[in-house]
Amino acid sequence: QLQLVESGGGLVQPEGSLRLSCAASGFTLDSYTIGWFRQAPGKEREGVSCISGGDGRTNYADSGKGRFTISRDNAKNTVYLQMNSLKPEDTAVYYCAATRGVLFRLCVLWPHEYDNWGQGTPVTVSS
C-alpha cells in the first residue's frame, strides 16, 4: 500500500518561510518522481515543483522559481518543499503526489500524470 503524508503547513506572514514535508510509506521514495501541487479556493490545481525519480532532476513553476526549493532525503524517505518570501497568493492547500511515469527525465507539473496523492496541508499567508 502506497501512502504519502504531508505536514508543515500553517499560518505565516508575508515574506515569511515554511518547510513542507512529504513522508512516504509502502515504497522507496527515490524510485518515484514526486511532485508538489497546490489548490486555492475556486481555482484549478496547479503544479509547484517536482523531483525526478532515478536522477533527481528538479523542475519549478514560474510562480515559485527563485523562492521555493524541492529536496529529497532518502534516509528519511521524505521529500521537502522549502518556501521562502511567501506571498498572499501562495495561500492554498498543498499536496504531494507520486508517479513512476517520468523516471530518469525532467519531471512534469501536470496533475493528471501523478497516481498517488496525499491528503494535503493548508498554507495561509496573511498579515
Side-chain angles (χ1 to χ4, degrees), residues 72-78:
R72 182 173 63 207
D73 186 334
N74 292 332
K76 296 181 179 180
N77 212 31
T78 299

Side-chain angles (χ1 to χ4, degrees), residues 13-80:
Q13 293 185 347
E15 299 301 317
S17 297
L18 285 174
R19 190 189 193 191
L20 306 184
S21 298
C22 176
S25 62
F27 65 101
T28 301
L29 188 147
D30 65 359
S31 67
Y32 283 73
T33 289
I34 304 297
W36 282 100
F37 301 83
R38 67 187 186 186
Q39 189 165 21
K43 293 191 173 183
E44 296 279 337
R45 189 168 298 187
E46 64 176 355
V48 178
S49 184
C50 57
I51 184 165
S52 296
D55 62 12
R57 283 187 287 178
T58 59
N59 196 9
Y60 297 90
D62 288 342
S63 60
K65 196 171 297 181
R67 300 186 296 125
F68 296 175
T69 304
I70 191 169
S71 62
R72 182 173 63 207
D73 186 334
N74 292 332
K76 296 181 179 180
N77 212 31
T78 299
V79 166
Y80 303 95

